[in-house]
PDB file of all heavy atoms in Angstrom:
ATOM      1  N   SER A 750       3.800   8.683  -6.813  1.00  0.00           N
ATOM      2  CA  SER A 750       4.854   9.116  -5.893  1.00  0.00           C
ATOM      3  C   SER A 750       6.088   9.576  -6.655  1.00  0.00           C
ATOM      4  O   SER A 750       6.358   9.123  -7.763  1.00  0.00           O
ATOM      5  CB  SER A 750       5.254   7.965  -4.967  1.00  0.00           C
ATOM      6  OG  SER A 750       4.165   7.540  -4.196  1.00  0.00           O
ATOM      7  N   ASP A 754       9.127  12.403  -2.160  1.00  0.00           N
ATOM      8  CA  ASP A 754       8.096  12.066  -1.171  1.00  0.00           C
ATOM      9  C   ASP A 754       8.618  11.177  -0.052  1.00  0.00           C
ATOM     10  O   ASP A 754       7.931  10.970   0.945  1.00  0.00           O
ATOM     11  CB  ASP A 754       6.922  11.345  -1.849  1.00  0.00           C
ATOM     12  CG  ASP A 754       6.193  12.221  -2.839  1.00  0.00           C
ATOM     13  OD1 ASP A 754       6.035  13.428  -2.572  1.00  0.00           O
ATOM     14  OD2 ASP A 754       5.777  11.692  -3.895  1.00  0.00           O
ATOM     15  N   PHE A 755       9.818  10.647  -0.211  1.00  0.00           N
ATOM     16  CA  PHE A 755      10.308   9.639   0.729  1.00  0.00           C
ATOM     17  C   PHE A 755      10.302  10.131   2.179  1.00  0.00           C
ATOM     18  O   PHE A 755       9.931   9.383   3.085  1.00  0.00           O
ATOM     19  CB  PHE A 755      11.707   9.149   0.347  1.00  0.00           C
ATOM     20  CG  PHE A 755      12.235   8.109   1.282  1.00  0.00           C
ATOM     21  CD1 PHE A 755      11.731   6.824   1.253  1.00  0.00           C
ATOM     22  CD2 PHE A 755      13.211   8.422   2.225  1.00  0.00           C
ATOM     23  CE1 PHE A 755      12.196   5.857   2.130  1.00  0.00           C
ATOM     24  CE2 PHE A 755      13.684   7.465   3.103  1.00  0.00           C
ATOM     25  CZ  PHE A 755      13.175   6.179   3.063  1.00  0.00           C
ATOM     26  N   ALA A 756      10.705  11.359   2.418  1.00  0.00           N
ATOM     27  CA  ALA A 756      10.758  11.875   3.801  1.00  0.00           C
ATOM     28  C   ALA A 756       9.387  11.805   4.478  1.00  0.00           C
ATOM     29  O   ALA A 756       9.289  11.465   5.669  1.00  0.00           O
ATOM     30  CB  ALA A 756      11.294  13.306   3.815  1.00  0.00           C
ATOM     31  N   ASP A 757       8.330  12.112   3.741  1.00  0.00           N
ATOM     32  CA  ASP A 757       6.977  12.014   4.303  1.00  0.00           C
ATOM     33  C   ASP A 757       6.532  10.561   4.422  1.00  0.00           C
ATOM     34  O   ASP A 757       5.873  10.180   5.390  1.00  0.00           O
ATOM     35  CB  ASP A 757       5.978  12.790   3.442  1.00  0.00           C
ATOM     36  CG  ASP A 757       6.135  14.293   3.564  1.00  0.00           C
ATOM     37  OD1 ASP A 757       6.574  14.770   4.631  1.00  0.00           O
ATOM     38  OD2 ASP A 757       5.823  15.001   2.586  1.00  0.00           O
ATOM     39  N   VAL A 758       6.866   9.757   3.434  1.00  0.00           N
ATOM     40  CA  VAL A 758       6.454   8.353   3.438  1.00  0.00           C
ATOM     41  C   VAL A 758       7.102   7.601   4.601  1.00  0.00           C
ATOM     42  O   VAL A 758       6.448   6.789   5.257  1.00  0.00           O
ATOM     43  CB  VAL A 758       6.757   7.681   2.078  1.00  0.00           C
ATOM     44  CG1 VAL A 758       6.523   6.174   2.134  1.00  0.00           C
ATOM     45  CG2 VAL A 758       5.896   8.306   0.968  1.00  0.00           C
ATOM     46  N   ILE A 759       8.351   7.898   4.906  1.00  0.00           N
ATOM     47  CA  ILE A 759       9.015   7.211   6.017  1.00  0.00           C
ATOM     48  C   ILE A 759       8.309   7.519   7.345  1.00  0.00           C
ATOM     49  O   ILE A 759       8.188   6.649   8.216  1.00  0.00           O
ATOM     50  CB  ILE A 759      10.530   7.529   6.088  1.00  0.00           C
ATOM     51  CG1 ILE A 759      11.256   6.584   7.043  1.00  0.00           C
ATOM     52  CG2 ILE A 759      10.797   8.933   6.529  1.00  0.00           C
ATOM     53  CD1 ILE A 759      11.558   5.252   6.495  1.00  0.00           C
ATOM     54  N   LEU A 760       7.785   8.723   7.485  1.00  0.00           N
ATOM     55  CA  LEU A 760       7.021   9.058   8.692  1.00  0.00           C
ATOM     56  C   LEU A 760       5.740   8.216   8.781  1.00  0.00           C
ATOM     57  O   LEU A 760       5.333   7.802   9.876  1.00  0.00           O
ATOM     58  CB  LEU A 760       6.685  10.552   8.712  1.00  0.00           C
ATOM     59  CG  LEU A 760       7.878  11.501   8.816  1.00  0.00           C
ATOM     60  CD1 LEU A 760       7.418  12.952   8.696  1.00  0.00           C
ATOM     61  CD2 LEU A 760       8.663  11.266  10.105  1.00  0.00           C
ATOM     62  N   LEU A 761       5.128   7.958   7.635  1.00  0.00           N
ATOM     63  CA  LEU A 761       3.943   7.101   7.611  1.00  0.00           C
ATOM     64  C   LEU A 761       4.308   5.658   7.951  1.00  0.00           C
ATOM     65  O   LEU A 761       3.577   4.982   8.679  1.00  0.00           O
ATOM     66  CB  LEU A 761       3.255   7.171   6.246  1.00  0.00           C
ATOM     67  CG  LEU A 761       2.638   8.520   5.886  1.00  0.00           C
ATOM     68  CD1 LEU A 761       2.195   8.539   4.433  1.00  0.00           C
ATOM     69  CD2 LEU A 761       1.485   8.858   6.815  1.00  0.00           C
ATOM     70  N   PHE A 762       5.450   5.184   7.443  1.00  0.00           N
ATOM     71  CA  PHE A 762       5.903   3.829   7.770  1.00  0.00           C
ATOM     72  C   PHE A 762       6.108   3.677   9.275  1.00  0.00           C
ATOM     73  O   PHE A 762       5.836   2.611   9.837  1.00  0.00           O
ATOM     74  CB  PHE A 762       7.201   3.484   7.041  1.00  0.00           C
ATOM     75  CG  PHE A 762       7.048   3.195   5.571  1.00  0.00           C
ATOM     76  CD1 PHE A 762       8.152   3.237   4.748  1.00  0.00           C
ATOM     77  CD2 PHE A 762       5.828   2.872   5.005  1.00  0.00           C
ATOM     78  CE1 PHE A 762       8.046   2.954   3.393  1.00  0.00           C
ATOM     79  CE2 PHE A 762       5.702   2.597   3.656  1.00  0.00           C
ATOM     80  CZ  PHE A 762       6.817   2.629   2.845  1.00  0.00           C
ATOM     81  N   LYS A 763       6.586   4.710   9.929  1.00  0.00           N
ATOM     82  CA  LYS A 763       6.787   4.648  11.374  1.00  0.00           C
ATOM     83  C   LYS A 763       5.457   4.468  12.105  1.00  0.00           C
ATOM     84  O   LYS A 763       5.404   3.837  13.159  1.00  0.00           O
ATOM     85  CB  LYS A 763       7.529   5.894  11.863  1.00  0.00           C
ATOM     86  CG  LYS A 763       8.989   5.878  11.431  1.00  0.00           C
ATOM     87  CD  LYS A 763       9.724   7.136  11.836  1.00  0.00           C
ATOM     88  CE  LYS A 763      11.175   7.058  11.340  1.00  0.00           C
ATOM     89  NZ  LYS A 763      11.954   8.221  11.714  1.00  0.00           N
ATOM     90  N   GLN A 764       4.378   5.005  11.536  1.00  0.00           N
ATOM     91  CA  GLN A 764       3.048   4.793  12.102  1.00  0.00           C
ATOM     92  C   GLN A 764       2.546   3.379  11.788  1.00  0.00           C
ATOM     93  O   GLN A 764       1.901   2.747  12.618  1.00  0.00           O
ATOM     94  CB  GLN A 764       2.049   5.802  11.541  1.00  0.00           C
ATOM     95  CG  GLN A 764       2.275   7.215  11.967  1.00  0.00           C
ATOM     96  CD  GLN A 764       1.263   8.161  11.335  1.00  0.00           C
ATOM     97  OE1 GLN A 764       0.173   7.764  10.923  1.00  0.00           O
ATOM     98  NE2 GLN A 764       1.619   9.429  11.261  1.00  0.00           N
ATOM     99  N   LEU A 765       2.847   2.907  10.591  1.00  0.00           N
ATOM    100  CA  LEU A 765       2.379   1.601  10.148  1.00  0.00           C
ATOM    101  C   LEU A 765       3.033   0.477  10.940  1.00  0.00           C
ATOM    102  O   LEU A 765       2.397  -0.515  11.275  1.00  0.00           O
ATOM    103  CB  LEU A 765       2.671   1.427   8.649  1.00  0.00           C
ATOM    104  CG  LEU A 765       2.213   0.138   7.971  1.00  0.00           C
ATOM    105  CD1 LEU A 765       0.702  -0.012   8.047  1.00  0.00           C
ATOM    106  CD2 LEU A 765       2.685   0.122   6.516  1.00  0.00           C
ATOM    107  N   TRP A 766       4.315   0.642  11.249  1.00  0.00           N
ATOM    108  CA  TRP A 766       5.078  -0.404  11.931  1.00  0.00           C
ATOM    109  C   TRP A 766       5.686   0.133  13.226  1.00  0.00           C
ATOM    110  O   TRP A 766       6.909   0.193  13.368  1.00  0.00           O
ATOM    111  CB  TRP A 766       6.175  -0.935  11.020  1.00  0.00           C
ATOM    112  CG  TRP A 766       5.684  -1.440   9.707  1.00  0.00           C
ATOM    113  CD1 TRP A 766       4.686  -2.345   9.489  1.00  0.00           C
ATOM    114  CD2 TRP A 766       6.172  -1.075   8.415  1.00  0.00           C
ATOM    115  NE1 TRP A 766       4.534  -2.563   8.137  1.00  0.00           N
ATOM    116  CE2 TRP A 766       5.427  -1.795   7.456  1.00  0.00           C
ATOM    117  CE3 TRP A 766       7.176  -0.209   7.967  1.00  0.00           C
ATOM    118  CZ2 TRP A 766       5.651  -1.673   6.088  1.00  0.00           C
ATOM    119  CZ3 TRP A 766       7.393  -0.085   6.609  1.00  0.00           C
ATOM    120  CH2 TRP A 766       6.638  -0.818   5.687  1.00  0.00           C
ATOM    121  N   PRO A 767       4.873   0.535  14.194  1.00  0.00           N
ATOM    122  CA  PRO A 767       5.441   1.042  15.449  1.00  0.00           C
ATOM    123  C   PRO A 767       6.230  -0.064  16.141  1.00  0.00           C
ATOM    124  O   PRO A 767       5.847  -1.227  16.112  1.00  0.00           O
ATOM    125  CB  PRO A 767       4.204   1.437  16.266  1.00  0.00           C
ATOM    126  CG  PRO A 767       3.095   0.632  15.704  1.00  0.00           C
ATOM    127  CD  PRO A 767       3.414   0.424  14.250  1.00  0.00           C
ATOM    128  N   LEU A 771      13.429   0.952  11.814  1.00  0.00           N
ATOM    129  CA  LEU A 771      13.485   1.104  10.360  1.00  0.00           C
ATOM    130  C   LEU A 771      14.872   1.554   9.925  1.00  0.00           C
ATOM    131  O   LEU A 771      15.432   2.487  10.486  1.00  0.00           O
ATOM    132  CB  LEU A 771      12.449   2.122   9.890  1.00  0.00           C
ATOM    133  CG  LEU A 771      10.992   1.818  10.243  1.00  0.00           C
ATOM    134  CD1 LEU A 771      10.083   2.923   9.730  1.00  0.00           C
ATOM    135  CD2 LEU A 771      10.564   0.471   9.708  1.00  0.00           C
ATOM    136  N   GLU A 773      16.436   3.530   7.359  1.00  0.00           N
ATOM    137  CA  GLU A 773      16.011   4.497   6.346  1.00  0.00           C
ATOM    138  C   GLU A 773      16.803   4.385   5.053  1.00  0.00           C
ATOM    139  O   GLU A 773      16.247   4.601   3.980  1.00  0.00           O
ATOM    140  CB  GLU A 773      16.076   5.917   6.916  1.00  0.00           C
ATOM    141  CG  GLU A 773      15.024   6.134   7.982  1.00  0.00           C
ATOM    142  CD  GLU A 773      14.883   7.579   8.414  1.00  0.00           C
ATOM    143  OE1 GLU A 773      15.176   8.485   7.613  1.00  0.00           O
ATOM    144  OE2 GLU A 773      14.460   7.784   9.561  1.00  0.00           O
ATOM    145  N   LEU A 776      15.335   1.416   3.203  1.00  0.00           N
ATOM    146  CA  LEU A 776      13.998   1.767   2.720  1.00  0.00           C
ATOM    147  C   LEU A 776      14.065   2.741   1.543  1.00  0.00           C
ATOM    148  O   LEU A 776      13.263   2.649   0.615  1.00  0.00           O
ATOM    149  CB  LEU A 776      13.154   2.347   3.850  1.00  0.00           C
ATOM    150  CG  LEU A 776      12.658   1.315   4.862  1.00  0.00           C
ATOM    151  CD1 LEU A 776      12.008   2.022   6.049  1.00  0.00           C
ATOM    152  CD2 LEU A 776      11.707   0.331   4.230  1.00  0.00           C
ATOM    153  N   PHE A 780      12.406   2.165  -1.979  1.00  0.00           N
ATOM    154  CA  PHE A 780      11.493   3.188  -2.495  1.00  0.00           C
ATOM    155  C   PHE A 780      11.927   3.647  -3.888  1.00  0.00           C
ATOM    156  O   PHE A 780      11.124   3.679  -4.820  1.00  0.00           O
ATOM    157  CB  PHE A 780      11.457   4.377  -1.520  1.00  0.00           C
ATOM    158  CG  PHE A 780      10.412   5.402  -1.829  1.00  0.00           C
ATOM    159  CD1 PHE A 780       9.096   5.213  -1.433  1.00  0.00           C
ATOM    160  CD2 PHE A 780      10.736   6.580  -2.486  1.00  0.00           C
ATOM    161  CE1 PHE A 780       8.125   6.174  -1.699  1.00  0.00           C
ATOM    162  CE2 PHE A 780       9.778   7.536  -2.750  1.00  0.00           C
ATOM    163  CZ  PHE A 780       8.470   7.329  -2.352  1.00  0.00           C
ATOM    164  N   LEU A 792       1.579   5.294  -4.957  1.00  0.00           N
ATOM    165  CA  LEU A 792       0.658   6.425  -4.944  1.00  0.00           C
ATOM    166  C   LEU A 792       0.763   7.165  -3.625  1.00  0.00           C
ATOM    167  O   LEU A 792       0.880   6.552  -2.563  1.00  0.00           O
ATOM    168  CB  LEU A 792      -0.786   5.937  -5.123  1.00  0.00           C
ATOM    169  CG  LEU A 792      -1.107   5.201  -6.413  1.00  0.00           C
ATOM    170  CD1 LEU A 792      -2.514   4.629  -6.352  1.00  0.00           C
ATOM    171  CD2 LEU A 792      -0.951   6.134  -7.600  1.00  0.00           C
ATOM    172  N   CYS A 793       0.698   8.480  -3.694  1.00  0.00           N
ATOM    173  CA  CYS A 793       0.665   9.324  -2.495  1.00  0.00           C
ATOM    174  C   CYS A 793      -0.652  10.080  -2.451  1.00  0.00           C
ATOM    175  O   CYS A 793      -1.192  10.467  -3.491  1.00  0.00           O
ATOM    176  CB  CYS A 793       1.809  10.346  -2.518  1.00  0.00           C
ATOM    177  SG  CYS A 793       3.408   9.651  -2.094  1.00  0.00           S
ATOM    178  N   VAL A 794      -1.136  10.275  -1.248  1.00  0.00           N
ATOM    179  CA  VAL A 794      -2.270  11.165  -1.012  1.00  0.00           C
ATOM    180  C   VAL A 794      -1.693  12.439  -0.426  1.00  0.00           C
ATOM    181  O   VAL A 794      -0.948  12.403   0.547  1.00  0.00           O
ATOM    182  CB  VAL A 794      -3.286  10.567  -0.023  1.00  0.00           C
ATOM    183  CG1 VAL A 794      -4.455  11.528   0.173  1.00  0.00           C
ATOM    184  CG2 VAL A 794      -3.764   9.213  -0.483  1.00  0.00           C
ATOM    185  N   GLU A 795      -2.051  13.540  -1.035  1.00  0.00           N
ATOM    186  CA  GLU A 795      -1.521  14.833  -0.615  1.00  0.00           C
ATOM    187  C   GLU A 795      -2.675  15.712  -0.123  1.00  0.00           C
ATOM    188  O   GLU A 795      -3.741  15.757  -0.731  1.00  0.00           O
ATOM    189  CB  GLU A 795      -0.824  15.473  -1.811  1.00  0.00           C
ATOM    190  CG  GLU A 795      -0.010  16.686  -1.505  1.00  0.00           C
ATOM    191  CD  GLU A 795       0.685  17.203  -2.762  1.00  0.00           C
ATOM    192  OE1 GLU A 795       1.587  16.510  -3.275  1.00  0.00           O
ATOM    193  OE2 GLU A 795       0.304  18.296  -3.213  1.00  0.00           O
ATOM    194  N   LEU A 796      -2.430  16.392   0.976  1.00  0.00           N
ATOM    195  CA  LEU A 796      -3.380  17.357   1.526  1.00  0.00           C
ATOM    196  C   LEU A 796      -2.601  18.603   1.902  1.00  0.00           C
ATOM    197  O   LEU A 796      -1.649  18.522   2.692  1.00  0.00           O
ATOM    198  CB  LEU A 796      -4.086  16.770   2.760  1.00  0.00           C
ATOM    199  CG  LEU A 796      -5.055  17.698   3.493  1.00  0.00           C
ATOM    200  CD1 LEU A 796      -6.250  18.038   2.613  1.00  0.00           C
ATOM    201  CD2 LEU A 796      -5.508  17.060   4.794  1.00  0.00           C
ATOM    202  N   LYS A 799       1.177  18.323   1.735  1.00  0.00           N
ATOM    203  CA  LYS A 799       1.865  17.325   2.568  1.00  0.00           C
ATOM    204  C   LYS A 799       1.332  15.938   2.247  1.00  0.00           C
ATOM    205  O   LYS A 799       0.128  15.746   2.093  1.00  0.00           O
ATOM    206  CB  LYS A 799       1.646  17.648   4.042  1.00  0.00           C
ATOM    207  CG  LYS A 799       2.326  16.664   4.981  1.00  0.00           C
ATOM    208  CD  LYS A 799       2.232  17.131   6.410  1.00  0.00           C
ATOM    209  CE  LYS A 799       2.764  16.180   7.437  1.00  0.00           C
ATOM    210  NZ  LYS A 799       3.671  15.174   7.071  1.00  0.00           N
ATOM    211  N   VAL A 800       2.239  14.970   2.161  1.00  0.00           N
ATOM    212  CA  VAL A 800       1.839  13.581   1.925  1.00  0.00           C
ATOM    213  C   VAL A 800       1.262  13.021   3.219  1.00  0.00           C
ATOM    214  O   VAL A 800       1.940  12.991   4.251  1.00  0.00           O
ATOM    215  CB  VAL A 800       3.040  12.733   1.441  1.00  0.00           C
ATOM    216  CG1 VAL A 800       2.661  11.267   1.361  1.00  0.00           C
ATOM    217  CG2 VAL A 800       3.535  13.234   0.088  1.00  0.00           C
ATOM    218  N   ILE A 801      -0.009  12.582   3.139  1.00  0.00           N
ATOM    219  CA  ILE A 801      -0.700  12.074   4.322  1.00  0.00           C
ATOM    220  C   ILE A 801      -1.161  10.622   4.123  1.00  0.00           C
ATOM    221  O   ILE A 801      -1.803  10.052   5.006  1.00  0.00           O
ATOM    222  CB  ILE A 801      -1.887  12.983   4.710  1.00  0.00           C
ATOM    223  CG1 ILE A 801      -2.828  13.239   3.535  1.00  0.00           C
ATOM    224  CG2 ILE A 801      -1.383  14.319   5.223  1.00  0.00           C
ATOM    225  CD1 ILE A 801      -4.096  12.469   3.620  1.00  0.00           C
ATOM    226  N   GLY A 802      -0.819  10.050   2.973  1.00  0.00           N
ATOM    227  CA  GLY A 802      -1.183   8.663   2.706  1.00  0.00           C
ATOM    228  C   GLY A 802      -0.296   8.078   1.628  1.00  0.00           C
ATOM    229  O   GLY A 802       0.262   8.814   0.796  1.00  0.00           O
ATOM    230  N   PHE A 803      -0.169   6.756   1.642  1.00  0.00           N
ATOM    231  CA  PHE A 803       0.699   6.077   0.683  1.00  0.00           C
ATOM    232  C   PHE A 803       0.165   4.677   0.431  1.00  0.00           C
ATOM    233  O   PHE A 803      -0.329   4.014   1.352  1.00  0.00           O
ATOM    234  CB  PHE A 803       2.120   5.988   1.247  1.00  0.00           C
ATOM    235  CG  PHE A 803       3.083   5.234   0.379  1.00  0.00           C
ATOM    236  CD1 PHE A 803       3.600   5.808  -0.774  1.00  0.00           C
ATOM    237  CD2 PHE A 803       3.488   3.950   0.717  1.00  0.00           C
ATOM    238  CE1 PHE A 803       4.495   5.122  -1.572  1.00  0.00           C
ATOM    239  CE2 PHE A 803       4.388   3.259  -0.065  1.00  0.00           C
ATOM    240  CZ  PHE A 803       4.888   3.836  -1.214  1.00  0.00           C
ATOM    241  N   CYS A 804       0.253   4.254  -0.812  1.00  0.00           N
ATOM    242  CA  CYS A 804      -0.105   2.890  -1.179  1.00  0.00           C
ATOM    243  C   CYS A 804       0.863   2.420  -2.257  1.00  0.00           C
ATOM    244  O   CYS A 804       1.146   3.167  -3.206  1.00  0.00           O
ATOM    245  CB  CYS A 804      -1.543   2.826  -1.707  1.00  0.00           C
ATOM    246  SG  CYS A 804      -2.087   1.167  -2.153  1.00  0.00           S
ATOM    247  N   ALA A 823       1.992  -2.101   0.768  1.00  0.00           N
ATOM    248  CA  ALA A 823       1.998  -1.065   1.810  1.00  0.00           C
ATOM    249  C   ALA A 823       0.778  -0.178   1.587  1.00  0.00           C
ATOM    250  O   ALA A 823       0.473   0.188   0.457  1.00  0.00           O
ATOM    251  CB  ALA A 823       3.275  -0.233   1.763  1.00  0.00           C
ATOM    252  N   MET A 824       0.095   0.131   2.667  1.00  0.00           N
ATOM    253  CA  MET A 824      -1.081   0.998   2.606  1.00  0.00           C
ATOM    254  C   MET A 824      -1.189   1.680   3.952  1.00  0.00           C
ATOM    255  O   MET A 824      -1.285   1.018   4.984  1.00  0.00           O
ATOM    256  CB  MET A 824      -2.316   0.142   2.303  1.00  0.00           C
ATOM    257  CG  MET A 824      -3.640   0.800   2.554  1.00  0.00           C
ATOM    258  SD  MET A 824      -4.027   2.077   1.366  1.00  0.00           S
ATOM    259  CE  MET A 824      -5.521   2.709   2.091  1.00  0.00           C
ATOM    260  N   ILE A 825      -1.142   3.019   3.945  1.00  0.00           N
ATOM    261  CA  ILE A 825      -1.189   3.755   5.214  1.00  0.00           C
ATOM    262  C   ILE A 825      -1.777   5.144   5.001  1.00  0.00           C
ATOM    263  O   ILE A 825      -1.478   5.803   4.009  1.00  0.00           O
ATOM    264  CB  ILE A 825       0.234   3.848   5.852  1.00  0.00           C
ATOM    265  CG1 ILE A 825       0.224   4.578   7.193  1.00  0.00           C
ATOM    266  CG2 ILE A 825       1.223   4.498   4.917  1.00  0.00           C
ATOM    267  CD1 ILE A 825      -0.283   3.790   8.330  1.00  0.00           C
ATOM    268  N   ILE A 826      -2.619   5.535   5.924  1.00  0.00           N
ATOM    269  CA  ILE A 826      -3.134   6.905   6.013  1.00  0.00           C
ATOM    270  C   ILE A 826      -2.684   7.427   7.372  1.00  0.00           C
ATOM    271  O   ILE A 826      -2.725   6.696   8.374  1.00  0.00           O
ATOM    272  CB  ILE A 826      -4.678   6.950   5.912  1.00  0.00           C
ATOM    273  CG1 ILE A 826      -5.170   6.346   4.587  1.00  0.00           C
ATOM    274  CG2 ILE A 826      -5.197   8.377   6.109  1.00  0.00           C
ATOM    275  CD1 ILE A 826      -4.694   7.056   3.335  1.00  0.00           C
ATOM    276  N   ASP A 827      -2.264   8.667   7.428  1.00  0.00           N
ATOM    277  CA  ASP A 827      -1.821   9.272   8.685  1.00  0.00           C
ATOM    278  C   ASP A 827      -2.850   9.002   9.779  1.00  0.00           C
ATOM    279  O   ASP A 827      -4.052   9.157   9.577  1.00  0.00           O
ATOM    280  CB  ASP A 827      -1.627  10.778   8.491  1.00  0.00           C
ATOM    281  CG  ASP A 827      -1.033  11.431   9.714  1.00  0.00           C
ATOM    282  OD1 ASP A 827      -1.797  11.740  10.654  1.00  0.00           O
ATOM    283  OD2 ASP A 827       0.199  11.631   9.729  1.00  0.00           O
ATOM    284  N   ASP A 828      -2.350   8.592  10.951  1.00  0.00           N
ATOM    285  CA  ASP A 828      -3.214   8.264  12.093  1.00  0.00           C
ATOM    286  C   ASP A 828      -4.267   9.329  12.365  1.00  0.00           C
ATOM    287  O   ASP A 828      -5.419   9.017  12.655  1.00  0.00           O
ATOM    288  CB  ASP A 828      -2.375   8.103  13.374  1.00  0.00           C
ATOM    289  CG  ASP A 828      -1.619   6.793  13.433  1.00  0.00           C
ATOM    290  OD1 ASP A 828      -2.007   5.836  12.741  1.00  0.00           O
ATOM    291  OD2 ASP A 828      -0.624   6.735  14.182  1.00  0.00           O
ATOM    292  N   SER A 829      -3.878  10.584  12.298  1.00  0.00           N
ATOM    293  CA  SER A 829      -4.777  11.679  12.672  1.00  0.00           C
ATOM    294  C   SER A 829      -5.890  11.918  11.654  1.00  0.00           C
ATOM    295  O   SER A 829      -6.822  12.658  11.940  1.00  0.00           O
ATOM    296  CB  SER A 829      -3.977  12.969  12.868  1.00  0.00           C
ATOM    297  OG  SER A 829      -3.434  13.408  11.633  1.00  0.00           O
ATOM    298  N   LEU A 830      -5.808  11.270  10.489  1.00  0.00           N
ATOM    299  CA  LEU A 830      -6.789  11.518   9.426  1.00  0.00           C
ATOM    300  C   LEU A 830      -7.593  10.279   9.034  1.00  0.00           C
ATOM    301  O   LEU A 830      -8.342  10.318   8.059  1.00  0.00           O
ATOM    302  CB  LEU A 830      -6.079  12.096   8.194  1.00  0.00           C
ATOM    303  CG  LEU A 830      -5.428  13.457   8.429  1.00  0.00           C
ATOM    304  CD1 LEU A 830      -4.459  13.798   7.307  1.00  0.00           C
ATOM    305  CD2 LEU A 830      -6.488  14.533   8.572  1.00  0.00           C
ATOM    306  N   ARG A 831      -7.441   9.226   9.796  1.00  0.00           N
ATOM    307  CA  ARG A 831      -8.193   8.001   9.480  1.00  0.00           C
ATOM    308  C   ARG A 831      -9.671   8.182   9.782  1.00  0.00           C
ATOM    309  O   ARG A 831     -10.054   9.004  10.600  1.00  0.00           O
ATOM    310  CB  ARG A 831      -7.627   6.822  10.270  1.00  0.00           C
ATOM    311  CG  ARG A 831      -6.255   6.452   9.787  1.00  0.00           C
ATOM    312  CD  ARG A 831      -5.729   5.205  10.433  1.00  0.00           C
ATOM    313  NE  ARG A 831      -4.330   5.048  10.045  1.00  0.00           N
ATOM    314  CZ  ARG A 831      -3.432   4.421  10.746  1.00  0.00           C
ATOM    315  NH1 ARG A 831      -3.771   3.860  11.873  1.00  0.00           N
ATOM    316  NH2 ARG A 831      -2.193   4.331  10.316  1.00  0.00           N
ATOM    317  N   ILE A 835     -10.402   8.815   3.316  1.00  0.00           N
ATOM    318  CA  ILE A 835      -9.194   8.993   2.503  1.00  0.00           C
ATOM    319  C   ILE A 835      -8.658   7.641   2.031  1.00  0.00           C
ATOM    320  O   ILE A 835      -8.296   7.476   0.866  1.00  0.00           O
ATOM    321  CB  ILE A 835      -8.116   9.772   3.282  1.00  0.00           C
ATOM    322  CG1 ILE A 835      -8.643  11.163   3.652  1.00  0.00           C
ATOM    323  CG2 ILE A 835      -6.829   9.878   2.483  1.00  0.00           C
ATOM    324  CD1 ILE A 835      -7.798  11.897   4.679  1.00  0.00           C
ATOM    325  N   LEU A 839      -8.118   6.290  -1.765  1.00  0.00           N
ATOM    326  CA  LEU A 839      -6.817   5.801  -2.213  1.00  0.00           C
ATOM    327  C   LEU A 839      -6.946   4.395  -2.810  1.00  0.00           C
ATOM    328  O   LEU A 839      -6.384   4.108  -3.869  1.00  0.00           O
ATOM    329  CB  LEU A 839      -5.817   5.807  -1.054  1.00  0.00           C
ATOM    330  CG  LEU A 839      -4.408   5.300  -1.349  1.00  0.00           C
ATOM    331  CD1 LEU A 839      -3.763   6.033  -2.525  1.00  0.00           C
ATOM    332  CD2 LEU A 839      -3.542   5.426  -0.102  1.00  0.00           C
ATOM    333  N   ARG A 863      -3.667  -5.475  13.545  1.00  0.00           N
ATOM    334  CA  ARG A 863      -4.308  -4.345  12.874  1.00  0.00           C
ATOM    335  C   ARG A 863      -5.805  -4.605  12.630  1.00  0.00           C
ATOM    336  O   ARG A 863      -6.297  -4.543  11.496  1.00  0.00           O
ATOM    337  CB  ARG A 863      -3.572  -4.036  11.587  1.00  0.00           C
ATOM    338  CG  ARG A 863      -2.104  -3.655  11.835  1.00  0.00           C
ATOM    339  CD  ARG A 863      -1.397  -3.210  10.596  1.00  0.00           C
ATOM    340  NE  ARG A 863      -2.065  -2.125   9.920  1.00  0.00           N
ATOM    341  CZ  ARG A 863      -1.984  -0.835  10.252  1.00  0.00           C
ATOM    342  NH1 ARG A 863      -1.260  -0.464  11.273  1.00  0.00           N
ATOM    343  NH2 ARG A 863      -2.617   0.074   9.555  1.00  0.00           N
TER     344      ARG A 863
END
Side-chain angles (χ1 to χ4, degrees):
S750 299
D754 295 322
F755 180 73
D757 288 331
V758 172
I759 192 79
L760 295 175
L761 294 171
F762 286 162
K763 288 177 181 181
Q764 292 178 23
L765 182 61
W766 304 308
L771 302 179
E773 291 190 27
L776 286 172
F780 188 82
L792 299 173
C793 283
V794 181
E795 191 178 292
L796 177 66
K799 180 172 175 21
V800 173
I801 52 105
F803 177 76
C804 181
M824 165 71 186
I825 181 77
I826 301 298
D827 186 278
D828 284 339
S829 67
L830 296 165
R831 291 186 188 153
I835 299 167
L839 179 55
R863 299 186 55 81

